[in-house]
Amino acid sequence: MGNATRLVALDRAGMAAGLRPGLTLADARAQVPGLEVYPHDPHADLDWLEALADGCVRYTPSVAVEPPDALVMDIAGCTHAFDGERFLAADVERRLMRRGVLARHAFGDTPAIAMALARFAGVPAPDEARAVKRLPVAALGLDAEDTAALARAGLKTVGEVMARPLSTIAARFGEQAVTAVRRLSGEVAAPIVARPQRVPIFAERRFAEPIARTDYALEVLNGLATDIAGQLDQRHQGGRRWEARLFRADGQVQRLRLETGAPTRDVALLARLWRERIDALADPLDPGFGYDMVRLDVVLAERLDATQLKLEGGAGNEGGDVPALIDRLSTRLGKARVRRFAPRDSHIPEQAELSLPAAGPQPTATTAWPTPEAGEPPQRPIYLFDPPQPIDAVMAEVPDGPPKRFKWRRTSHEIARAEGPERIAGEWWRRHDAAIPTRDYYRVEDRRGRRFWIFRHGLTEEVDDPRWYVHGLFA
Amino acid sequence: MVESHILERLRHMAAVGVRAQTGSAADSWLAHGLARGKLHEVYSSADEAACGAGFAIMQAILAGATPLLWLRIEAVERSGGRLHATGLAELGLPPDALIVALVPDAPALLRAGADAARCPGLGTVLIESSGPMRGLDLTATRRLMLAAETSGVTVVSLRIEAEPVPSAAATRWSVAAAASSPLAADAPGLPAMDIELLRRRGGPAGARWRVEWDRDTTSFRGAALSGAGLPLAADRAAARHPPAPVRRRSG
């Protein structure tokens, strides 16, 4: 059908103006010049539909999403709270209306019948079976060719198709047409695929008398953690992110959050981490008139199977392993301060490696570390200045050569040995705006044996008076 | 009871490792690295900090004491430059075996150091500090030493531009830069340094070495004994080289 931009959905005003989905944008603009159009975003639509499905949990635990535009709810046994299904449906529509969403609903014995009725129902019918029979053949959900063929054969409604022997329909339209007919007649029930419900894991404790000591609140928190560890154990899960909320008697809520690198349900470890978190707070916790409730939530849980204990008895791991240490330090210092290194594909020295938070899952490296050349002294320093530090009073024998002496941090350095230049040009394919001066790097050693990595910023033909910098220090 | 005590000792030995002390104890670091499960101190001046750090790294590689946790104060990171894993890899330390933690101040440094020293999963904890450190006194070093002995983690306290103060460390070293033996076209050669054993628990100190670090063979070698890789005795090195100019300030 070409590459024309087409309308996917319309609001009520658009429909009233005579536009229909599938119309090309050019035609639509010709009919309604002031048409407001937005690009079609199926993913966002699906997200929104899923959010609605989450909201529908108030009616029934079993809600299924039928993309692109439908929700199926199994309301068997769930209507008593609303005095019957009519009122439940009215409640759904009222809530949606408040958000400006126009919804159609239908009830059916099976999800397929309800879907067909909701999408295609026109004339009201005394009962469900007759309502289904009055549906147009499009409600069978066959492809466009088969639907057109049915219409051409003179079959306009589902009822007319049902009246035919199924064998002839199977012979003409194949297996799936028969299945579609049987679905709508209620003979075959496709089960509802309910969205998995994530039941939140939490524990809370209320106090008749507010508690005024932070230490006691911590003890309570540990008690709650024990409770939660039991819940997690049953699910074979461990918590990755935790949130503790301390509800103060005057209505304030203090939140403490924790994150661990690996899922855990180790109560002693959590107790240590909470202690760290509280110690790391800029302002200490202020109980005020006391806390009257403490609640602990597992915000994110991941699979964690039971671990084998050590053979001679005792716990499998006394909290002495490195990930636990990284978690502790990350909790205390902040995640960004505990780091590991990862290689990066760049020849600019300061961009050739990344330092990433050591806590949490490690990304798989896409590039490898460069392997040092055998027999060569180190070509890269162990300390790198970022930004490079300017040096003064540089004396070079020849304009393109290494310096004979330079001054850095109030000390004069007489160069005894030098190697270079190692020429490192800017990544011209990344930036097009300005010419980046080339850097000429030299490994130099002064008379005392101190080794530096220095560079001249710019060639003599690029820059009039190129500056020199110390970029790193060698061992 | 007795059995459980023996079991406890065996477990400790398994964790810490039993080393056969062969040859001169003062020389064993050249071949095997610093003794594991101890606290060591390395001193160097501010403009030779890279040599001090390099020495600590080389010792960790020699002893096979990785992973290495490097604790630094943020201010030191700003003034002294950040760690460059590519350069450390060229000394022989795999970047995967390196974790860096930046701490805001000296008390936090000591606290993180004490925690890390208790973690048997680590090989080396490198505590880098600059200038005088009031908190790093006899008590604190004793605590670090005890933690190191229990867990088997080698703790290296890298002291930049600092005066030695009484401590419980097993050894104390002074590291200074030394002129390398030049390669072709007068290019700087392998990392070279002058090393002095300032103090050693239960043994004589004062020996000096001039060594080069060879990454390919993972060994130190004497600068004057070109490429032979011979073991270097303390007195011979001292005889061949006049004492290296290790600067110590008076007062």
Side-chain angles (χ1 to χ4, degrees):
Chain A
M1 307 267 280
N3 291 325
T5 312
R6 284 171 194 280
L7 301 183
V8 176
L10 287 153
D11 66 355
R12 234 188 289 192
M15 295 293 265
L19 305 179
R20 289 289 171 268
L23 208 61
T24 60
L25 181 60
D27 288 349
R29 281 255 163 84
Q31 288 182 35
V32 185
L35 187 67
E36 277 181 56
V37 289
Y38 304 94
H40 179 44
D41 186 352
H43 290 289
D45 287 351
L46 192 61
D47 281 351
W48 174 79
L49 199 61
E50 290 194 338
L52 281 187
D54 285 339
C56 284
V57 174
R58 69 171 64 238
Y59 304 112
T60 163
S62 152
V63 183
V65 176
E66 287 287 343
D69 56 358
L71 293 177
V72 178
M73 290 195 266
D74 182 1
I75 54 166
C78 300
T79 53
H80 54 276
F82 295 89
D83 303 323
E85 54 190 34
R86 303 258 157 232
F87 292 97
L88 190 151
D91 189 67
V92 175
E93 290 197 335
R94 202 180 59 244
R95 277 174 196 281
L96 288 174
M97 193 71 89
R98 232 181 281 158
R99 290 157 178 265
V101 179
L102 190 62
R104 273 204 303 256
H105 76 269
F107 302 100
D109 284 349
T110 68
I113 293 175
M115 285 273 294
L117 286 173
R119 283 205 168 120
F120 297 96
V123 218
D127 64 9
E128 190 182 303
R130 263 180 271 178
V132 170
K133 289 198 172 127
R134 286 182 195 173
L135 289 173
V137 283
L140 287 171
L142 304 177
D143 53 33
E145 209 176 304
D146 286 353
T147 309
L150 279 171
R152 225 176 292 134
L155 302 173
K156 292 207 169 50
T157 64
V158 174
E160 282 165 345
V161 180
M162 280 176 180
R164 304 270 148 179
L166 283 178
S167 56
T168 58
I169 292 177
R172 174 69 179 80
F173 298 104
E175 170 79 29
Q176 77 274 17
V178 175
T179 316
V181 171
R182 295 175 100 176
R183 279 218 178 116
L184 285 193
S185 64
E187 280 174 61
V188 179
I192 179 167
V193 186
R195 291 161 57 72
Q197 291 296 319
R198 269 182 299 170
V199 181
I201 308 172
F202 72 95
E204 62 184 30
R205 205 170 139 198
R206 293 157 200 268
F207 308 101
E209 278 292 313
I211 53 166
R213 275 175 53 228
T214 311
D215 282 345
Y216 183 59
L218 255 178
E219 269 176 48
V220 170
L221 210 51
N222 295 343
L224 295 178
T226 316
D227 195 12
I228 282 187
Q231 294 184 38
L232 287 169
D233 196 26
Q234 286 181 356
R235 298 182 182 201
H236 296 275
Q237 280 185 327
R240 275 283 313 280
R241 274 185 219 139
W242 307 71
E243 184 180 70
R245 276 179 284 178
L246 306 170
F247 293 77
R248 250 167 51 170
D250 60 2
Q252 256 209 26
V253 183
Q254 287 165 344
R255 287 159 196 275
L256 298 169
R257 293 202 176 93
L258 260 195
E259 205 172 322
T260 54
T264 181
R265 45 176 185 258
D266 181 350
V267 179
L269 172 76
L270 285 170
R272 276 204 302 276
L273 290 176
W274 286 122
R275 171 55 71 187
E276 297 274 355
R277 166 60 72 230
I278 287 176
D279 289 349
L281 288 177
D283 327 318
L285 280 182
D286 175 18
F289 296 108
Y291 303 112
D292 54 6
M293 185 166 113
V294 178
R295 178 180 163 125
L296 180 60
D297 279 275
V298 181
V299 183
L300 178 70
E302 282 176 6
R303 190 183 169 83
L304 175 67
D305 289 320
T307 43
Q308 173 94 41
L309 295 184
K310 260 191 193 169
L311 217 75
E312 350 53 305
N317 204 333
E318 289 99 358
D321 58 343
V322 180
L325 177 73
I326 290 175
D327 283 346
R328 279 183 79 186
L329 292 179
S330 300
T331 306
R332 190 190 307 160
L333 305 169
K335 249 172 97 172
R337 289 216 181 103
V338 185
R339 305 184 144 257
R340 269 181 205 283
F341 293 95
R344 206 170 144 210
D345 191 13
S346 170
H347 66 265
I348 306 273
E350 62 268 31
Q351 291 167 8
E353 60 189 49
L354 288 170
S355 64
L356 306 167
Q362 295 300 310
T364 46
T366 46
T367 49
W369 291 98
T371 32
E373 204 174 321
E376 284 289 315
Q379 301 295 312
R380 291 285 180 270
I382 64 169
Y383 286 124
L384 191 78
F385 293 107
D386 192 15
Q389 304 215 335
I391 50 181
D392 305 313
V394 179
M395 302 274 293
E397 269 181 344
V398 283
D400 278 346
K404 289 303 287 177
R405 77 171 62 85
F406 66 89
K407 203 170 169 192
W408 179 54
R409 287 186 176 168
R410 297 189 294 278
T411 316
S412 186
H413 297 274
E414 192 101 5
I415 304 297
R417 312 184 207 296
E419 185 188 50
E422 180 186 351
R423 186 158 291 179
I424 296 180
E427 293 181 330
W428 49 266
W429 59 92
R430 291 251 161 94
R431 271 185 241 158
H432 309 280
D433 44 354
I436 305 150
T438 311
R439 300 179 193 167
D440 269 355
Y441 279 90
Y442 294 92
R443 271 187 334 114
V444 299
E445 182 180 297
D446 73 359
R447 296 242 175 263
R448 291 247 316 271
R450 292 173 286 207
R451 285 164 285 275
F452 303 90
W453 205 37
I454 61 174
F455 70 87
R456 189 183 55 237
H457 200 223
L459 307 176
T460 36
E461 43 287 22
E462 285 176 353
V463 187
D464 286 340
D465 184 19
R467 287 224 52 150
W468 286 84
Y469 295 87
V470 167
H471 203 177
L473 304 173
F474 289 98
Chain B
M1 277 314 283
V2 178
E3 277 163 10
S4 78
H5 182 67
I6 293 170
L7 200 66
E8 198 52 50
R9 272 189 58 195
L10 282 172
R11 208 178 277 160
H12 178 244
M13 280 159 77
V16 175
V18 189
R19 284 167 307 279
Q21 292 288 339
T22 51
S24 162
D27 255 359
S28 77
W29 68 268
L30 271 174
H32 308 293
L34 298 174
R36 294 187 72 163
K38 302 274 184 209
L39 169 68
H40 305 277
E41 289 181 337
V42 177
Y43 285 81
S44 63
S45 65
D47 52 357
E48 288 161 10
C51 285
F55 175 72
I57 293 289
M58 292 160 196
Q59 293 298 331
I61 298 166
L62 260 186
T66 53
L68 188 142
L69 175 68
W70 195 319
L71 298 169
R72 314 188 76 195
I73 299 183
E74 278 176 332
V76 176
E77 169 114 344
R78 278 197 294 275
S79 65
R82 62 178 161 91
L83 296 182
H84 194 50
T86 319
L88 292 167
E90 285 191 273
L91 289 182
L93 180 75
D96 304 333
L98 176 66
I99 307 158
V100 181
L102 296 178
V103 296
D105 50 17
L109 182 75
L110 288 178
R111 200 163 154 225
D115 283 348
R118 270 187 232 110
C119 174
L122 287 174
T124 305
V125 180
L126 184 51
I127 304 173
E128 181 180 350
S129 57
S130 176
M133 284 266 292
R134 282 251 298 294
L136 200 61
D137 55 3
L138 200 56
T139 319
T141 50
R142 177 94 191 111
R143 207 172 278 150
L144 282 174
M145 184 72 168
L146 278 174
E149 281 178 336
T150 317
S151 64
V153 178
T154 312
V155 183
V156 180
S157 169
L158 177 59
R159 307 282 289 113
I160 311 287
E161 200 66 31
E163 291 297 317
V165 289
S167 83
T171 56
R172 178 184 294 161
W173 307 82
S174 162
V175 179
S180 59
S181 33
L183 304 175
D186 222 14
L190 300 177
M193 46 191 108
D194 282 322
I195 289 154
E196 183 179 3
L197 179 56
L198 296 177
R199 184 177 166 275
R200 183 156 65 95
R201 257 178 150 190
R208 293 175 180 213
W209 295 266
R210 172 168 289 192
V211 291
E212 280 190 346
W213 171 250
D214 186 352
R215 173 197 64 232
D216 299 328
T217 58
T218 322
S219 63
F220 284 110
R221 63 185 192 210
L225 314 169
S226 55
L230 293 176
L232 191 64
D235 51 354
R236 231 163 83 197
R240 286 198 174 223
H241 296 283
V246 176
R247 292 159 308 120
R248 263 173 295 173
R249 279 191 245 146
S250 55

